[in-house]
Amino acid sequence: MSFEYLPHTADKKIHAKGNNLAEAFGEGALAVYNTIVKIKEIKPTKEKTIKVKSESKEALLYDFIDELLYIIDTEKFIGSKVKEVKLENNKITITFKGDDYTNYDHLGDVKAMTYSEMEIKEKEIIFVVDV
Amino acid sequence: MEIKKIKEGIFEIQKEKGMNVPVRVYVSDKMLEDLKKDKSLQQGMNATHMPGIQKHFVMLPDTHQGYGFPIGGVAAFDMEKGCISPGGTGYDINCISGDSKVMFEHGYYKNIENLEEEWKKSSLKCINLNKNQENNTNIQRYIKIKPTNKVYKIKTFTGQKIIATADHPIWTPSGMILTKDLDKQSYLATYPFEGVKHEKCAKKIILKEEDILNLDLPIKKELHIKELKKRGLINLKRTSDKIPYLIKIISYNMGDGSLYLCNKRPHVAFWGRKEDLELIRKDVKKLGYNPDIVRSRNRNNKIKTKRGYAEFNTVEYSFRVNAKSFGTLLYALGTPLGKKVAQSYEIPEWIRNGPLWHKRLFLSCLFGAEMNIPNTLTNHGYNYYMPCLSLNKDKANIDGGKNFLLQIKEMLSEFDIESKLSDEKEDYVTKNEDVNYRFKLFINGKIQNLLNLYKKVNFEYNIEKRMVANIAINYLLLKHELIEERDEAQVLAKLMYINGRGPTQICQELNYYNINKRYVERSIYENRETSPRVANNFPTFEQFKEGATKSLGNSGMVWDKIKSIEEIKYDDYVYDFTVKNKHHNFIANNLVVSNCGVRLLTTNLEKEEVTKKIKELLEALFEHVPCGVGSESKLRLTDEQMNEVLNTGVSWCVKNNYASKIDANHCEEEGHMKTANASKISQKAKSRGRKQLGTLGAGNHFLEVQYVDKIYNKEVAKKFGITEEGQVTLMIHCGSRGLGHQVCSDFLRRVEKEFPDLVAKLPERELAYAPANSDTAKDYLGAMSSAANFAWANRQVIQYHCQEAFKEVFKKNNDLKLIYDVAHNIVKIEDHEIDGKMKKVYVHRKGATRSFGPGHKEICKDYRDVGQPVILPGSMGTSSYILVGSEEAMKETFGSTAHGAGRVMSRHEALKTFKSEDVKKDLAEHNIMVKSASMKGISEEAPGVYKNVDEVVKVSDEVGIGKLVARVRPIGVIKG
């Protein structure tokens, strides 16, 4: 796993890396999922593909995580592994392997994505989610 | 920051430049000292920059740092000239921000903030304005300045934005001129090349003695080692300051140089233009070697090509380095020895594994030697020939050559530069009638791709190419400003058509856009949303080049024209003065993310009897009230019902028997804001909220069974329904769940997309807001009001479930009566007295509670003559308070007071500091039972994590913005 949580007074600040930006986005998503359920414990029985397009990299990251949160709330899906991910021209297509999170102990809730302290570099990203 | 004490408990931060109003902070002396430790006060000051803000920005006793707008803050805005902000944020008002880029000699940049110690040792890139030359210097050129006076924002035609203080010097054709004296039509000099961010490298040794010993050269190795040692080149570390020069030299040599053996000694030669060779010689000297002088030679070339014989005369410049160990050094580090066309080699591995700026040095020198100078297609001056790198190999080394170019391709991709390898083609025949093969690496000609190439990589060791590349950057930026990315192919097609090209030709020349002829034809003939800004008089590159560097010599600086320059006035827009390159720090986690609020209920029960059955009660509550992550509502709502809940809140609950009329009465706004408009809420938000009505959620939301511990004001308490100490109460603290969050995200993005100009003008996206009378602001009000209604309905339904739990455990005497329900995060239209007159304003309460005084018509009849009940939940396990609103609050704080305690510790820290078991034990010692849906939640919410609510309440009472009525303490807590 190439993500870590950085210090923050009230919420979760995530730092994710990959071999390229697409992978970094994937790791960022896993970091968000890991806040709700320990992804190590998840049996990856289900798959989910998500496609998001936006007007800029930053907006893409925002919309991407926002979409994940929506899916968590409505479909209860939590990803534990990235099966494949592609990112180009501010469009991301990603397939997760995961499960219904109600089958596991949950640790907390992620309320919303923010633009707070967001940084997008070549192969790594930093962002904060409201928990 | 100038802080004045108005009286005990009230401080005022005086108005400074840019602030529209002062800030009033309602805290004790000690609390003020604590506040200075984080950014809260600064954030308060920042908030006063917002347009239309009235009177003063209010910071309540429990204020603490938030996302921009501090939590525990209240602001009122004019309804005509003001704004509604889904976010209020902050910024630093001091000099250039720490992450302004400073360019270094070796083409990388670092942020100013990282230079505190190093800048004196650093070699920075600067422009010698007298000689119009690029230079490297140890004098810092980018200056850190504090804006002591006006600040301007300059926008240029290439789309660059510069923020400068009035007395910042700008280089113009008339010399250095101060920003405030700039003419709107002025030109200013820019340095378009950017380079890449600096990365530290590992201190790994890349050249050891044994590496020399292992070389297969017929040299006297011991001697060479001695020479290298003398110059500090043995046990050479990656971090050595000689490495950048070595990379450049090796790379250029691989392009237009040679390394060969002569009399068992390695010799090194470089070819190029005279001025460029002088640059290389300088660097050779930096390594401790003495290069030979530059020599010239007339050459008569005759080569056979596919097209016949070509013959030409040239003057060739070159220089050699004859020192024996120099060649050895280069060879040991990966430079090919001998004829390049007859061997395969790779990019030296240590460069391939190095940091990005090392790779940049490698590529830029290779390109300086071998890549075509940026030039536009003949007869069509708008598009460039694709930059390309060619390589010649003999038959045996075709694969090796391709491999090398593929390595280059991969390296380029790290800079987001796309390229494509062509197949090998037979090329010229040498004297010996051998056929060589040539392949090319083409760099995709799309505008952004070229910009990446020239901005990040550019050329080294080639002054002319560097200069033209810099001009090309500005030209491309100009083009880019004119062309939306998706229109690029379309608009270019149109341009080319206007200039006389036919569709077939256009299609060929634009082949990197992957468009077909049909697309081109449609672009030209049909007016498919092409931008009307494509003008016939858009200059060709040649035309643009002409004036672009006039009198700037070879400095690499290029003239750009000012499009607009405006003084940044604080009552117009909110701005960040920092010239940050980090865009999109749009902090808008924001005012009404959760429509959080709290309600307090009384029971007819007594402390003793409840304590006896607390375990049972908590379990029953846990059963009846869905809580925790993913908790699902017990209600199933149709679309129509959902809309009704959103539009009418608690009124729907009354209609459907989840609430009594009294419940509705005792709720702020009667739980039904008339400004609600469910149609303004997205389907997404509704989907998220649909299954969450009557659920508790997680985080800092909780249910608390309490008992009245102390009554401060018997009369008012009685009015509220609190009759005696020991009386049991129930507190419900939560918000609008996923729906509220989604509404926020939706509007945030909407403001971003709808007001791109407004947002683009902001140095940071952090301060996006919707102007008060815009559709977006009105829609936002409608949506937010609906979300608030949903939150009230949510708490009401939870109350209903709690009632069922109480019924189960206490068969009789189980009536829950609502004292009051207040919201903590909300925007309201209210009447307040400003400058002696009553005025309707948009009041934003962020982590604050309304606290209206006696007689106010908004308060329900039951309480009108004493004032509005204010509920202040403490953190888990600590006291909570009931206060009453006052006239004082109306005067001072737009009728508001604190909402609870503030966090002082991050969840991360809390988890490390407090163990759930210990917290539980600790609470149990105080006879408080906790039941949580998640163990982690307990630690994160441990009391030590919050400020002291007792202190907060004390100030509120003393200042008079919320007067003490009663205090309650917990018996049991349910957490999500």
Side-chain angles (χ1 to χ4, degrees), chain B residues 90-234:
Chain B
Y91 47 86
D92 293 320
I93 313 181
N94 55 26
C95 30
I96 303 176
S97 81
D99 48 277
S100 290
K101 293 179 189 165
V102 177
M103 171 97 68
F104 282 69
E105 178 189 347
H106 294 305
Y108 58 76
Y109 57 82
K110 278 193 189 177
N111 296 341
I112 277 190
E113 67 201 343
N114 298 331
L115 286 179
E116 283 286 301
E117 270 135 46
E118 317 166 0
W119 75 268
K120 292 203 175 91
K121 306 186 257 163
S122 308
S123 181
L124 305 176
K125 206 173 259 308
C126 79
I127 306 298
N128 182 324
L129 293 166
N130 286 330
K131 296 194 197 159
N132 274 332
Q133 268 174 15
E134 263 184 42
N135 246 322
N136 297 311
T137 175
N138 290 327
I139 302 166
Q140 196 169 5
R141 176 169 165 78
Y142 295 78
I143 314 158
K144 211 168 176 172
I145 43 179
K146 278 198 188 285
T148 50
N149 43 29
K150 296 182 187 173
V151 175
Y152 294 83
K153 183 166 204 180
I154 304 170
K155 191 164 183 208
T156 70
F157 273 95
T158 61
Q160 293 185 70
K161 293 173 193 98
I162 300 155
I163 293 176
T165 56
D167 50 10
H168 187 84
I170 301 274
W171 187 245
T172 71
S174 326
M176 281 296 209
I177 293 197
L178 299 181
T179 301
K180 65 177 168 114
D181 298 326
L182 279 175
D183 190 70
K184 186 171 170 180
Q185 301 301 312
S186 291
Y187 283 84
L188 49 67
T190 61
Y191 191 72
F193 166 61
E194 269 183 20
V196 296
K197 193 157 189 189
H198 183 260
E199 278 169 62
K200 278 211 166 105
C201 14
K203 281 206 177 120
K204 208 164 165 226
I205 295 181
I206 55 167
L207 192 67
K208 303 191 281 284
E209 244 186 78
E210 49 198 46
D211 294 325
I212 307 291
L213 292 171
N214 292 337
L215 289 177
D216 59 344
L217 283 180
I219 55 170
K220 296 200 177 105
K221 293 180 184 166
E222 295 300 345
L223 224 57
H224 288 222
I225 292 174
K226 195 164 153 223
E227 291 291 301
L228 290 170
K229 271 195 178 159
K230 218 170 51 171
R231 294 171 173 86
L233 292 165
I234 282 291

Side-chain angles (χ1 to χ4, degrees), chain A residues 8-11 54-55 58-59 62-63 66-67 70 73 76 101 108 111 115 118 122 128 130-131, chain B residues 67 414 584-586 589 629-630 632 684 687-688 692 741-742 745 748-749 752-753 905-907 934:
Chain A
H8 193 282
T9 320
D11 297 314
S54 214
E55 72 263 22
E58 290 77 10
Y62 187 98
D63 288 341
D66 185 55
E67 182 70 15
Y70 171 70
D73 258 1
K76 310 265 183 271
Y101 76 79
K111 292 184 185 165
Y115 271 114
M118 188 189 278
E122 313 233 0
V128 176
D130 187 15
V131 295
Chain B
Y67 290 123
E414 291 188 47
H584 314 320
N585 258 357
F586 191 13
N589 206 43
V629 177
E632 260 188 41
K684 222 178 174 188
S687 310
R688 266 182 97 176
Q692 296 182 336
H741 304 314
Q742 195 61 51
S745 296
L748 213 67
R749 296 288 286 120
E752 264 193 286
K753 290 181 193 164
M905 202 184 280
S906 75
R907 294 179 190 275
S934 88

Side-chain angles (χ1 to χ4, degrees), chain B residues 41-59:
Chain B
L41 296 175
Q42 187 61 62
Q43 291 182 333
M45 290 169 75
N46 294 346
T48 65
H49 290 238
M50 295 186 84
I53 187 170
Q54 304 289 303
K55 218 158 150 176
H56 52 238
F57 182 76
V58 172
M59 290 177 74

Side-chain angles (χ1 to χ4, degrees), chain B residues 510-563:
Chain B
L510 293 181
N511 61 16
Y512 40 72
Y513 285 96
N514 290 322
I515 51 177
N516 56 24
K517 192 168 165 196
R518 184 81 195 99
Y519 184 93
V520 172
E521 284 166 2
R522 290 211 320 265
S523 307
I524 306 173
Y525 303 130
E526 294 168 28
N527 265 318
R528 185 184 11 151
E529 16 138 21
T530 37
S531 73
R533 294 169 288 177
V534 173
N536 294 11
N537 54 13
F538 187 80
T540 63
F541 183 53
E542 285 305 320
Q543 290 167 336
F544 181 76
K545 246 204 285 183
E546 249 180 56
T549 55
K550 211 173 205 170
S551 79
L552 288 174
N554 287 338
S555 61
M557 298 203 80
V558 181
W559 293 120
D560 197 353
K561 195 165 175 192
I562 297 178
K563 193 170 184 182

Side-chain angles (χ1 to χ4, degrees), chain A residues 114-125:
Chain A
T114 77
Y115 271 114
S116 175
E117 301 181 60
M118 188 189 278
E119 277 181 58
I120 298 188
K121 305 182 201 177
E122 313 233 0
K123 303 179 198 174
E124 53 185 305
I125 55 177

Side-chain angles (χ1 to χ4, degrees), chain B residues 6-32:
Chain B
I6 305 288
K7 67 180 203 203
E8 208 61 43
I10 307 183
F11 292 89
E12 189 174 276
I13 302 177
Q14 301 301 290
K15 248 172 88 166
E16 281 181 13
K17 61 205 131 357
M19 287 169 68
N20 288 322
V21 294
V23 179
R24 282 225 167 165
V25 193
Y26 298 86
V27 290
S28 66
D29 290 14
K30 177 173 180 295
M31 287 156 106
L32 184 70

